[in-house]
PDB file of all heavy atoms in Angstrom:
ATOM      1  N   GLY G1266     107.771 110.314  96.689  1.00 66.00           N
ATOM      2  CA  GLY G1266     108.918 110.026  97.557  1.00 66.00           C
ATOM      3  C   GLY G1266     108.700 110.318  98.999  1.00 66.00           C
ATOM      4  O   GLY G1266     107.508 110.402  99.438  1.00 66.00           O
ATOM      5  N   PRO G1267     109.677 110.405  99.830  1.00 68.00           N
ATOM      6  CA  PRO G1267     111.112 110.416  99.440  1.00 68.00           C
ATOM      7  C   PRO G1267     111.576 109.032  98.956  1.00 68.00           C
ATOM      8  O   PRO G1267     111.098 108.030  99.399  1.00 68.00           O
ATOM      9  CB  PRO G1267     111.846 110.834 100.745  1.00 68.00           C
ATOM     10  CG  PRO G1267     110.934 110.295 101.812  1.00 68.00           C
ATOM     11  CD  PRO G1267     109.549 110.492 101.332  1.00 68.00           C
ATOM     12  N   GLY G1268     112.519 109.066  98.031  1.00 71.00           N
ATOM     13  CA  GLY G1268     113.055 107.837  97.508  1.00 71.00           C
ATOM     14  C   GLY G1268     112.186 107.250  96.435  1.00 71.00           C
ATOM     15  O   GLY G1268     111.157 107.778  96.084  1.00 71.00           O
ATOM     16  N   PRO G1269     112.590 106.043  95.908  1.00 78.00           N
ATOM     17  CA  PRO G1269     111.793 105.401  94.871  1.00 78.00           C
ATOM     18  C   PRO G1269     110.524 104.784  95.420  1.00 78.00           C
ATOM     19  O   PRO G1269     110.375 104.622  96.637  1.00 78.00           O
ATOM     20  CB  PRO G1269     112.744 104.290  94.395  1.00 78.00           C
ATOM     21  CG  PRO G1269     113.611 104.010  95.550  1.00 78.00           C
ATOM     22  CD  PRO G1269     113.796 105.310  96.236  1.00 78.00           C
ATOM     23  N   LYS G1270     109.598 104.475  94.527  1.00 80.00           N
ATOM     24  CA  LYS G1270     108.330 103.854  94.908  1.00 80.00           C
ATOM     25  C   LYS G1270     108.587 102.543  95.573  1.00 80.00           C
ATOM     26  O   LYS G1270     109.388 101.733  95.092  1.00 80.00           O
ATOM     27  CB  LYS G1270     107.429 103.667  93.702  1.00 80.00           C
ATOM     28  CG  LYS G1270     106.034 103.215  94.016  1.00 80.00           C
ATOM     29  CD  LYS G1270     105.098 103.311  92.812  1.00 80.00           C
ATOM     30  CE  LYS G1270     105.536 102.348  91.736  1.00 80.00           C
ATOM     31  NZ  LYS G1270     104.565 102.302  90.628  1.00 80.00           N
ATOM     32  N   PRO G1271     107.935 102.216  96.764  1.00 81.00           N
ATOM     33  CA  PRO G1271     108.239 100.986  97.473  1.00 81.00           C
ATOM     34  C   PRO G1271     107.753  99.813  96.656  1.00 81.00           C
ATOM     35  O   PRO G1271     106.803  99.855  95.854  1.00 81.00           O
ATOM     36  CB  PRO G1271     107.425 101.145  98.778  1.00 81.00           C
ATOM     37  CG  PRO G1271     106.366 102.133  98.472  1.00 81.00           C
ATOM     38  CD  PRO G1271     106.959 103.084  97.424  1.00 81.00           C
ATOM     39  N   ALA G1272     108.389  98.641  96.958  1.00 80.00           N
ATOM     40  CA  ALA G1272     108.056  97.417  96.221  1.00 80.00           C
ATOM     41  C   ALA G1272     106.635  96.929  96.473  1.00 80.00           C
ATOM     42  O   ALA G1272     106.008  96.338  95.564  1.00 80.00           O
ATOM     43  CB  ALA G1272     109.031  96.312  96.633  1.00 80.00           C
ATOM     44  N   TRP G1273     106.079  97.261  97.657  1.00 79.00           N
ATOM     45  CA  TRP G1273     104.734  96.794  97.962  1.00 79.00           C
ATOM     46  C   TRP G1273     103.668  97.551  97.213  1.00 79.00           C
ATOM     47  O   TRP G1273     102.512  97.108  97.122  1.00 79.00           O
ATOM     48  CB  TRP G1273     104.443  96.848  99.483  1.00 79.00           C
ATOM     49  CG  TRP G1273     104.551  98.251 100.060  1.00 79.00           C
ATOM     50  CD1 TRP G1273     105.601  98.790 100.689  1.00 79.00           C
ATOM     51  CD2 TRP G1273     103.497  99.227 100.090  1.00 79.00           C
ATOM     52  NE1 TRP G1273     105.349 100.089 101.087  1.00 79.00           N
ATOM     53  CE2 TRP G1273     104.043 100.364 100.759  1.00 79.00           C
ATOM     54  CE3 TRP G1273     102.194  99.304  99.599  1.00 79.00           C
ATOM     55  CZ2 TRP G1273     103.338 101.579 100.957  1.00 79.00           C
ATOM     56  CZ3 TRP G1273     101.495 100.497  99.833  1.00 79.00           C
ATOM     57  CH2 TRP G1273     102.052 101.564 100.485  1.00 79.00           C
ATOM     58  N   MET G1274     103.997  98.683  96.644  1.00 85.00           N
ATOM     59  CA  MET G1274     103.031  99.522  95.909  1.00 85.00           C
ATOM     60  C   MET G1274     102.904  98.962  94.459  1.00 85.00           C
ATOM     61  O   MET G1274     103.158  99.678  93.482  1.00 85.00           O
ATOM     62  CB  MET G1274     103.447 100.988  95.914  1.00 85.00           C
ATOM     63  CG  MET G1274     102.362 101.932  95.528  1.00 85.00           C
ATOM     64  SD  MET G1274     102.766 103.674  95.702  1.00 85.00           S
ATOM     65  CE  MET G1274     102.510 103.956  97.449  1.00 85.00           C
ATOM     66  N   ASN G1275     102.477  97.716  94.388  1.00 82.00           N
ATOM     67  CA  ASN G1275     102.418  97.028  93.077  1.00 82.00           C
ATOM     68  C   ASN G1275     100.961  97.003  92.590  1.00 82.00           C
ATOM     69  O   ASN G1275     100.517  95.995  92.105  1.00 82.00           O
ATOM     70  CB  ASN G1275     102.957  95.637  93.185  1.00 82.00           C
ATOM     71  CG  ASN G1275     102.253  94.768  94.242  1.00 82.00           C
ATOM     72  OD1 ASN G1275     101.461  95.306  95.006  1.00 82.00           O
ATOM     73  ND2 ASN G1275     102.509  93.486  94.230  1.00 82.00           N
ATOM     74  N   PHE G1276     100.252  98.082  92.676  1.00 84.00           N
ATOM     75  CA  PHE G1276      98.890  98.180  92.292  1.00 84.00           C
ATOM     76  C   PHE G1276      98.684  99.447  91.566  1.00 84.00           C
ATOM     77  O   PHE G1276      99.539 100.362  91.537  1.00 84.00           O
ATOM     78  CB  PHE G1276      97.898  98.077  93.494  1.00 84.00           C
ATOM     79  CG  PHE G1276      98.401  98.983  94.681  1.00 84.00           C
ATOM     80  CD1 PHE G1276      98.069 100.310  94.656  1.00 84.00           C
ATOM     81  CD2 PHE G1276      99.052  98.438  95.750  1.00 84.00           C
ATOM     82  CE1 PHE G1276      98.484 101.146  95.719  1.00 84.00           C
ATOM     83  CE2 PHE G1276      99.483  99.238  96.797  1.00 84.00           C
ATOM     84  CZ  PHE G1276      99.200 100.586  96.792  1.00 84.00           C
ATOM     85  N   ASP G1277      97.487  99.579  90.923  1.00 84.00           N
ATOM     86  CA  ASP G1277      97.177 100.794  90.173  1.00 84.00           C
ATOM     87  C   ASP G1277      96.234 101.698  90.992  1.00 84.00           C
ATOM     88  O   ASP G1277      95.746 101.330  92.047  1.00 84.00           O
ATOM     89  CB  ASP G1277      96.623 100.501  88.797  1.00 84.00           C
ATOM     90  CG  ASP G1277      95.393  99.608  88.843  1.00 84.00           C
ATOM     91  OD1 ASP G1277      94.744  99.512  89.913  1.00 84.00           O
ATOM     92  OD2 ASP G1277      95.074  98.980  87.792  1.00 84.00           O
ATOM     93  N   ASP G1278      95.933 102.898  90.437  1.00 87.00           N
ATOM     94  CA  ASP G1278      95.065 103.834  91.130  1.00 87.00           C
ATOM     95  C   ASP G1278      93.665 103.290  91.340  1.00 87.00           C
ATOM     96  O   ASP G1278      92.985 103.574  92.335  1.00 87.00           O
ATOM     97  CB  ASP G1278      94.947 105.119  90.337  1.00 87.00           C
ATOM     98  CG  ASP G1278      96.246 105.951  90.395  1.00 87.00           C
ATOM     99  OD1 ASP G1278      97.236 105.450  91.051  1.00 87.00           O
ATOM    100  OD2 ASP G1278      96.294 107.080  89.828  1.00 87.00           O
ATOM    101  N   GLN G1279      93.213 102.490  90.353  1.00 87.00           N
ATOM    102  CA  GLN G1279      91.830 101.970  90.474  1.00 87.00           C
ATOM    103  C   GLN G1279      91.684 101.027  91.646  1.00 87.00           C
ATOM    104  O   GLN G1279      90.654 100.996  92.291  1.00 87.00           O
ATOM    105  CB  GLN G1279      91.452 101.197  89.162  1.00 87.00           C
ATOM    106  CG  GLN G1279      91.206 102.113  87.978  1.00 87.00           C
ATOM    107  CD  GLN G1279      92.440 102.639  87.344  1.00 87.00           C
ATOM    108  OE1 GLN G1279      93.535 102.105  87.590  1.00 87.00           O
ATOM    109  NE2 GLN G1279      92.313 103.678  86.544  1.00 87.00           N
ATOM    110  N   TRP G1280      92.754 100.281  91.963  1.00 87.00           N
ATOM    111  CA  TRP G1280      92.689  99.383  93.128  1.00 87.00           C
ATOM    112  C   TRP G1280      92.590 100.165  94.434  1.00 87.00           C
ATOM    113  O   TRP G1280      91.908  99.747  95.352  1.00 87.00           O
ATOM    114  CB  TRP G1280      93.863  98.429  93.141  1.00 87.00           C
ATOM    115  CG  TRP G1280      93.669  97.290  94.133  1.00 87.00           C
ATOM    116  CD1 TRP G1280      92.857  96.231  93.967  1.00 87.00           C
ATOM    117  CD2 TRP G1280      94.318  97.140  95.375  1.00 87.00           C
ATOM    118  NE1 TRP G1280      92.917  95.397  95.093  1.00 87.00           N
ATOM    119  CE2 TRP G1280      93.835  95.936  96.004  1.00 87.00           C
ATOM    120  CE3 TRP G1280      95.278  97.890  96.104  1.00 87.00           C
ATOM    121  CZ2 TRP G1280      94.252  95.464  97.231  1.00 87.00           C
ATOM    122  CZ3 TRP G1280      95.687  97.424  97.337  1.00 87.00           C
ATOM    123  CH2 TRP G1280      95.216  96.232  97.905  1.00 87.00           C
ATOM    124  N   VAL G1281      93.236 101.319  94.501  1.00 87.00           N
ATOM    125  CA  VAL G1281      93.064 102.183  95.659  1.00 87.00           C
ATOM    126  C   VAL G1281      91.624 102.606  95.835  1.00 87.00           C
ATOM    127  O   VAL G1281      91.088 102.615  96.926  1.00 87.00           O
ATOM    128  CB  VAL G1281      93.987 103.449  95.539  1.00 87.00           C
ATOM    129  CG1 VAL G1281      93.793 104.350  96.739  1.00 87.00           C
ATOM    130  CG2 VAL G1281      95.443 102.996  95.447  1.00 87.00           C
ATOM    131  N   ASN G1282      90.971 102.946  94.691  1.00 87.00           N
ATOM    132  CA  ASN G1282      89.542 103.303  94.787  1.00 87.00           C
ATOM    133  C   ASN G1282      88.738 102.123  95.308  1.00 87.00           C
ATOM    134  O   ASN G1282      87.745 102.321  96.084  1.00 87.00           O
ATOM    135  CB  ASN G1282      89.063 103.753  93.435  1.00 87.00           C
ATOM    136  CG  ASN G1282      89.666 105.054  92.981  1.00 87.00           C
ATOM    137  OD1 ASN G1282      89.997 105.893  93.773  1.00 87.00           O
ATOM    138  ND2 ASN G1282      89.779 105.244  91.658  1.00 87.00           N
ATOM    139  N   GLU G1283      89.018 100.894  94.839  1.00 87.00           N
ATOM    140  CA  GLU G1283      88.312  99.713  95.266  1.00 87.00           C
ATOM    141  C   GLU G1283      88.487  99.481  96.752  1.00 87.00           C
ATOM    142  O   GLU G1283      87.557  99.143  97.463  1.00 87.00           O
ATOM    143  CB  GLU G1283      88.813  98.489  94.505  1.00 87.00           C
ATOM    144  CG  GLU G1283      88.278  98.348  93.088  1.00 87.00           C
ATOM    145  CD  GLU G1283      88.547  96.989  92.544  1.00 87.00           C
ATOM    146  OE1 GLU G1283      89.688  96.750  92.118  1.00 87.00           O
ATOM    147  OE2 GLU G1283      87.660  96.148  92.599  1.00 87.00           O
ATOM    148  N   VAL G1284      89.718  99.667  97.255  1.00 87.00           N
ATOM    149  CA  VAL G1284      89.985  99.492  98.672  1.00 87.00           C
ATOM    150  C   VAL G1284      89.213 100.510  99.485  1.00 87.00           C
ATOM    151  O   VAL G1284      88.615 100.198 100.552  1.00 87.00           O
ATOM    152  CB  VAL G1284      91.482  99.560  98.978  1.00 87.00           C
ATOM    153  CG1 VAL G1284      91.762  99.574 100.486  1.00 87.00           C
ATOM    154  CG2 VAL G1284      92.198  98.342  98.372  1.00 87.00           C
ATOM    155  N   GLN G1285      89.203 101.728  99.004  1.00 86.00           N
ATOM    156  CA  GLN G1285      88.456 102.797  99.691  1.00 86.00           C
ATOM    157  C   GLN G1285      86.974 102.402  99.807  1.00 86.00           C
ATOM    158  O   GLN G1285      86.334 102.519 100.860  1.00 86.00           O
ATOM    159  CB  GLN G1285      88.562 104.118  98.968  1.00 86.00           C
ATOM    160  CG  GLN G1285      87.702 105.232  99.551  1.00 86.00           C
ATOM    161  CD  GLN G1285      87.673 106.490  98.715  1.00 86.00           C
ATOM    162  OE1 GLN G1285      88.178 106.501  97.571  1.00 86.00           O
ATOM    163  NE2 GLN G1285      87.142 107.552  99.218  1.00 86.00           N
ATOM    164  N   ARG G1286      86.415 101.920  98.685  1.00 87.00           N
ATOM    165  CA  ARG G1286      85.032 101.499  98.673  1.00 87.00           C
ATOM    166  C   ARG G1286      84.781 100.312  99.619  1.00 87.00           C
ATOM    167  O   ARG G1286      83.807 100.316 100.354  1.00 87.00           O
ATOM    168  CB  ARG G1286      84.660 101.115  97.254  1.00 87.00           C
ATOM    169  CG  ARG G1286      83.197 100.652  97.076  1.00 87.00           C
ATOM    170  CD  ARG G1286      82.911 100.248  95.632  1.00 87.00           C
ATOM    171  NE  ARG G1286      83.675  99.055  95.265  1.00 87.00           N
ATOM    172  CZ  ARG G1286      83.688  98.517  94.034  1.00 87.00           C
ATOM    173  NH1 ARG G1286      82.975  99.060  93.099  1.00 87.00           N
ATOM    174  NH2 ARG G1286      84.407  97.426  93.787  1.00 87.00           N
ATOM    175  N   GLY G1287      85.711  99.358  99.646  1.00 86.00           N
ATOM    176  CA  GLY G1287      85.580  98.202 100.538  1.00 86.00           C
ATOM    177  C   GLY G1287      85.652  98.610 101.998  1.00 86.00           C
ATOM    178  O   GLY G1287      84.886  98.092 102.842  1.00 86.00           O
ATOM    179  N   ILE G1288      86.537  99.549 102.359  1.00 86.00           N
ATOM    180  CA  ILE G1288      86.627 100.011 103.743  1.00 86.00           C
ATOM    181  C   ILE G1288      85.326 100.743 104.131  1.00 86.00           C
ATOM    182  O   ILE G1288      84.858 100.609 105.273  1.00 86.00           O
ATOM    183  CB  ILE G1288      87.891 100.860 103.949  1.00 86.00           C
ATOM    184  CG1 ILE G1288      89.118  99.940 103.857  1.00 86.00           C
ATOM    185  CG2 ILE G1288      87.822 101.603 105.251  1.00 86.00           C
ATOM    186  CD1 ILE G1288      90.459 100.673 103.973  1.00 86.00           C
ATOM    187  N   ASN G1289      84.807 101.518 103.207  1.00 85.00           N
ATOM    188  CA  ASN G1289      83.524 102.172 103.488  1.00 85.00           C
ATOM    189  C   ASN G1289      82.442 101.124 103.800  1.00 85.00           C
ATOM    190  O   ASN G1289      81.615 101.309 104.718  1.00 85.00           O
ATOM    191  CB  ASN G1289      83.091 103.032 102.302  1.00 85.00           C
ATOM    192  CG  ASN G1289      83.905 104.312 102.203  1.00 85.00           C
ATOM    193  OD1 ASN G1289      84.451 104.808 103.174  1.00 85.00           O
ATOM    194  ND2 ASN G1289      83.982 104.842 101.002  1.00 85.00           N
ATOM    195  N   ALA G1290      82.460 100.014 103.041  1.00 86.00           N
ATOM    196  CA  ALA G1290      81.471  98.992 103.220  1.00 86.00           C
ATOM    197  C   ALA G1290      81.647  98.336 104.630  1.00 86.00           C
ATOM    198  O   ALA G1290      80.683  98.053 105.328  1.00 86.00           O
ATOM    199  CB  ALA G1290      81.572  97.892 102.162  1.00 86.00           C
ATOM    200  N   CYS G1291      82.906  98.091 104.992  1.00 85.00           N
ATOM    201  CA  CYS G1291      83.183  97.524 106.330  1.00 85.00           C
ATOM    202  C   CYS G1291      82.717  98.475 107.439  1.00 85.00           C
ATOM    203  O   CYS G1291      82.296  98.041 108.491  1.00 85.00           O
ATOM    204  CB  CYS G1291      84.703  97.245 106.462  1.00 85.00           C
ATOM    205  SG  CYS G1291      85.243  95.899 105.410  1.00 85.00           S
ATOM    206  N   GLY G1292      82.767  99.774 107.159  1.00 86.00           N
ATOM    207  CA  GLY G1292      82.224 100.718 108.166  1.00 86.00           C
ATOM    208  C   GLY G1292      80.721 100.569 108.293  1.00 86.00           C
ATOM    209  O   GLY G1292      80.166 100.717 109.392  1.00 86.00           O
ATOM    210  N   VAL G1293      80.045 100.246 107.183  1.00 91.00           N
ATOM    211  CA  VAL G1293      78.608 100.010 107.231  1.00 91.00           C
ATOM    212  C   VAL G1293      78.327  98.753 108.073  1.00 91.00           C
ATOM    213  O   VAL G1293      77.378  98.749 108.909  1.00 91.00           O
ATOM    214  CB  VAL G1293      78.067  99.814 105.817  1.00 91.00           C
ATOM    215  CG1 VAL G1293      76.615  99.226 105.861  1.00 91.00           C
ATOM    216  CG2 VAL G1293      78.075 101.118 105.032  1.00 91.00           C
ATOM    217  N   PHE G1294      79.144  97.756 107.977  1.00 90.00           N
ATOM    218  CA  PHE G1294      78.942  96.474 108.695  1.00 90.00           C
ATOM    219  C   PHE G1294      79.113  96.637 110.177  1.00 90.00           C
ATOM    220  O   PHE G1294      78.536  95.845 110.978  1.00 90.00           O
ATOM    221  CB  PHE G1294      79.881  95.387 108.216  1.00 90.00           C
ATOM    222  CG  PHE G1294      79.850  95.170 106.736  1.00 90.00           C
ATOM    223  CD1 PHE G1294      80.921  94.637 106.066  1.00 90.00           C
ATOM    224  CD2 PHE G1294      78.741  95.458 105.963  1.00 90.00           C
ATOM    225  CE1 PHE G1294      80.926  94.407 104.698  1.00 90.00           C
ATOM    226  CE2 PHE G1294      78.688  95.261 104.614  1.00 90.00           C
ATOM    227  CZ  PHE G1294      79.795  94.712 103.993  1.00 90.00           C
ATOM    228  N   LEU G1295      79.881  97.644 110.631  1.00 91.00           N
ATOM    229  CA  LEU G1295      80.148  97.800 112.062  1.00 91.00           C
ATOM    230  C   LEU G1295      78.866  98.065 112.881  1.00 91.00           C
ATOM    231  O   LEU G1295      78.875  97.876 114.104  1.00 91.00           O
ATOM    232  CB  LEU G1295      81.159  98.907 112.301  1.00 91.00           C
ATOM    233  CG  LEU G1295      82.594  98.639 111.838  1.00 91.00           C
ATOM    234  CD1 LEU G1295      83.437  99.900 112.018  1.00 91.00           C
ATOM    235  CD2 LEU G1295      83.187  97.462 112.636  1.00 91.00           C
ATOM    236  N   TRP G1296      77.796  98.453 112.203  1.00 93.00           N
ATOM    237  CA  TRP G1296      76.558  98.689 112.898  1.00 93.00           C
ATOM    238  C   TRP G1296      75.742  97.421 113.093  1.00 93.00           C
ATOM    239  O   TRP G1296      74.801  97.374 113.892  1.00 93.00           O
ATOM    240  CB  TRP G1296      75.713  99.729 112.118  1.00 93.00           C
ATOM    241  CG  TRP G1296      76.346 101.033 112.008  1.00 93.00           C
ATOM    242  CD1 TRP G1296      77.159 101.520 111.008  1.00 93.00           C
ATOM    243  CD2 TRP G1296      76.258 102.119 112.934  1.00 93.00           C
ATOM    244  NE1 TRP G1296      77.563 102.782 111.216  1.00 93.00           N
ATOM    245  CE2 TRP G1296      77.002 103.212 112.420  1.00 93.00           C
ATOM    246  CE3 TRP G1296      75.605 102.315 114.160  1.00 93.00           C
ATOM    247  CZ2 TRP G1296      77.140 104.436 113.095  1.00 93.00           C
ATOM    248  CZ3 TRP G1296      75.720 103.532 114.813  1.00 93.00           C
ATOM    249  CH2 TRP G1296      76.486 104.558 114.276  1.00 93.00           C
ATOM    250  N   TYR G1297      76.083  96.364 112.389  1.00 94.00           N
ATOM    251  CA  TYR G1297      75.261  95.176 112.353  1.00 94.00           C
ATOM    252  C   TYR G1297      75.231  94.396 113.666  1.00 94.00           C
ATOM    253  O   TYR G1297      74.216  93.689 113.923  1.00 94.00           O
ATOM    254  CB  TYR G1297      75.703  94.246 111.212  1.00 94.00           C
ATOM    255  CG  TYR G1297      74.938  94.484 109.916  1.00 94.00           C
ATOM    256  CD1 TYR G1297      75.247  95.549 109.088  1.00 94.00           C
ATOM    257  CD2 TYR G1297      73.892  93.660 109.507  1.00 94.00           C
ATOM    258  CE1 TYR G1297      74.560  95.767 107.866  1.00 94.00           C
ATOM    259  CE2 TYR G1297      73.198  93.870 108.352  1.00 94.00           C
ATOM    260  CZ  TYR G1297      73.549  94.947 107.545  1.00 94.00           C
ATOM    261  OH  TYR G1297      72.873  95.194 106.357  1.00 94.00           O
TER     262      TYR G1297
END
């Protein structure tokens, strides 16, 4: 909360892990 879960949070915990991994990869690309 506060309040109920927002409508945009329509994903599971595993997808959060995937996004974290993807953002880490984009950080790698910033050196290119």
